[in-house]
Amino acid sequence: MADTNRGVVYMGPGTVEVQTTDYPSFVLRDGPGVHPDSVGRECNHGVILRIVSTNICGSDQHMVRGRTTAPEGLILGHEITGEVIERGRDVEYIDEGDLVSVPFNIACGRCRNCKERKTGICLNTNPARPGAAYGYVDMGGWPGGQARYVMVPYADFNCLKFRDKEQALAKILDLTMLSDIFPTGYHGCVTAGVTTGSTVYIAGGGPVGLAAAHGAQLLGAAVVIVGDLIPERLAQAKSFGCETIDVSRGDPGEQIEQLLGVPEVDCGVDAVGFEARGHGEHASEELPATVLNSLMGLTRAGGALGIPGLYVTGDPGAHTDAAKEGSLSIRIGLGWAKSHVFTTGQCPVMRYNRELMEAILGDRCQIARAVNATVITLDDAPQGYRDFDRGAAKKFVLDPNGLIPA
């Protein structure tokens, strides 16, 4: 008999609750956000996981703040690590008992984009548009993983197996970051051109910004600068060797010049997204184009901007009609004049997660320390969301089944 499932449910702007939810099956049921064409979809290529660790993400927070069109009743959570307890009849290479990391992108492995390693925009897993994810608005309605159990489709393709279960459990707070923020931050740096000797400015000191900063260090950057408004987050960035800028004090370029001797960097990373605030005297105002325009100003001519920060096509809480549909006043002429390269969109997690796993297991990085991984129970998730919303310099890791070693 199936065990009781419980999950974190979005109840409307500002509210999440932990509720009893359906135990997962290999058929996609009707529910919040599920596209009608997907109802009844058979997933015999999937596995059911007992969740070992699942994390609260800044992208979840956008939904909980009411800044997306997320439907009420959605089970949240797209950062998933778990143990396989049941596999569908068509799964060949993943076995019961395996401990696996699950990319937040749900990918079929069969379409043109998946075959080109663009797994963030799979063409088959979401009838509404390219790209699917667990527990996320407009991403197919797949139930999320901030729960005790979840179903993962296309398991042979999507699951990254840890070859040594005991070793993986000992490093679970690092390995849990492979499902999203570590590859996402790293992707921001790779697409910004970070390499040996680079100077890098990362806008945003939340978990993705801190992951990007650690990723830049792993890539060999000479100087990594993190900008934010919240002192606690700046202190966390300093704790692992980053320079910091308090953007409430004014223009980042002037502060960068004080650090580097020039008001520009080689590489710019936007780890803030569409809820950006202004600089200096405008720090209390929401100005969603601020970060992109600032990065164009302070990234050298011929440089690149990695943009892992989230931008949406529907923002009911925006302050202008244009911003409500994702139209921002971006100085594209400046970026054009400086021959900047822009890379946007979801990180294709599978492009990076295996190599980052090896870096973690080989003790080449300490991502959990960098993002201040903090374990809480499933029942504490609502408080975790409130603390995160207040700017806590922590990456909250949920332990739904009490499986994370003390």
Side-chain angles (χ1 to χ4, degrees):
M1 181 177 176
D3 199 353
T4 300
N5 197 17
R6 300 175 72 236
V8 180
V9 180
Y10 172 64
M11 302 301 294
T15 305
V16 298
E17 292 182 2
V18 180
Q19 299 182 352
T20 299
T21 61
D22 290 337
Y23 187 84
S25 76
F26 295 120
V27 177
L28 189 57
R29 307 181 183 102
D30 195 9
V34 178
H35 193 282
D37 291 350
S38 287
V39 175
R41 181 175 188 155
E42 295 188 3
C43 298
N44 295 309
H45 41 64
V47 295
I48 294 173
L49 300 185
R50 176 187 292 115
I51 303 296
V52 174
S53 60
T54 177
N55 317 324
I56 297 175
C57 180
S59 298
D60 299 321
Q61 196 71 64
H62 292 305
M63 288 187 290
V64 173
R65 288 187 186 121
R67 296 300 299 269
T68 72
T69 55
E72 295 181 13
L74 184 68
I75 303 170
L76 299 172
H78 55 268
E79 301 190 10
I80 300 167
T81 306
E83 179 187 23
V84 178
I85 58 172
E86 187 177 351
R87 66 177 195 168
R89 68 167 188 237
D90 297 335
V91 177
E92 294 186 71
Y93 306 112
I94 298 295
D95 294 318
E96 292 180 10
D98 286 347
L99 183 62
V100 299
S101 176
V102 181
F104 77 89
N105 329 101
I106 304 176
C108 72
R110 296 152 168 79
C111 71
R112 172 180 177 173
N113 284 346
C114 284
K115 290 180 178 180
E116 293 178 356
R117 303 185 74 197
K118 300 172 184 173
T119 52
I121 44 174
C122 173
L123 300 173
N124 289 330
T125 46
N126 180 3
R129 63 187 239 194
Y134 304 89
Y136 204 77
V137 59
D138 295 335
M139 301 303 284
W142 298 87
Q146 287 174 18
R148 295 189 67 203
Y149 304 97
V150 74
M151 192 273 287
V152 174
Y154 302 102
D156 283 323
F157 187 63
N158 284 302
C159 292
L160 175 66
K161 177 182 173 179
F162 301 130
R163 58 184 175 270
D164 185 325
K165 199 170 179 179
E166 184 176 346
Q167 179 194 31
L169 283 171
K171 289 182 175 286
I172 194 65
L173 292 187
D174 294 288
L175 294 171
T176 192
M177 306 305 167
L178 291 174
S179 56
D180 183 356
I181 68 161
F182 198 13
T184 292
Y186 191 82
H187 176 65
C189 291
V190 168
T191 54
V194 178
T195 187
T196 305
S198 297
T199 56
V200 186
Y201 176 63
I202 295 166
V208 169
L210 296 171
H214 195 43
Q217 293 172 333
L218 189 60
L219 287 163
V223 183
V224 180
I225 305 167
V226 176
D228 203 284
L229 297 160
I230 300 174
E232 187 181 355
R233 288 180 169 182
L234 296 175
Q236 181 61 27
K238 283 183 179 179
S239 75
F240 61 97
C242 300
E243 301 288 347
T244 60
I245 285 175
D246 182 349
V247 298
S248 69
R249 293 171 46 198
D251 178 63
E254 295 176 1
Q255 297 180 66
I256 286 172
E257 186 169 21
Q258 294 172 12
L259 290 170
L260 301 180
V262 291
E264 64 180 18
V265 292
D266 298 320
C267 313
V269 178
D270 175 2
V272 178
F274 73 104
E275 288 193 69
R277 296 189 177 277
H279 300 145
E281 62 184 16
H282 300 291
S284 63
E285 301 175 43
E286 187 170 302
L287 298 169
T290 297
V291 171
L292 292 173
N293 288 330
S294 173
L295 286 175
M296 283 187 276
L298 57 81
T299 302
R300 68 173 178 84
L305 277 61
I307 309 172
L310 176 68
Y311 290 87
V312 295
T313 56
D315 174 10
H319 295 173
T320 67
D321 289 340
K324 286 180 179 179
E325 56 184 35
S327 296
L328 309 181
S329 297
I330 297 170
R331 292 189 66 195
I332 192 66
L334 176 60
W336 189 93
K338 296 177 77 172
S339 293
H340 283 157
V341 173
F342 298 74
T343 302
T344 65
Q346 291 183 44
C347 165
V349 169
M350 239 181 273
R351 194 175 296 178
Y352 306 106
N353 63 349
R354 184 174 298 278
E355 63 196 56
L356 292 175
M357 174 188 73
E358 297 294 354
I360 289 168
L361 295 176
D363 294 323
R364 304 304 299 170
C365 55
Q366 292 78 42
I367 184 63
R369 180 171 66 86
V371 302
N372 195 16
T374 302
V375 179
I376 61 176
T377 67
L378 187 68
D379 288 325
D380 287 335
Q383 185 61 50
Y385 272 95
R386 289 190 288 270
D387 291 344
F388 192 19
D389 193 45
R390 287 193 287 265
K394 298 176 180 179
K395 177 66 172 177
F396 289 107
V397 178
L398 305 183
D399 184 9
N401 290 296
L403 297 174
I404 296 178

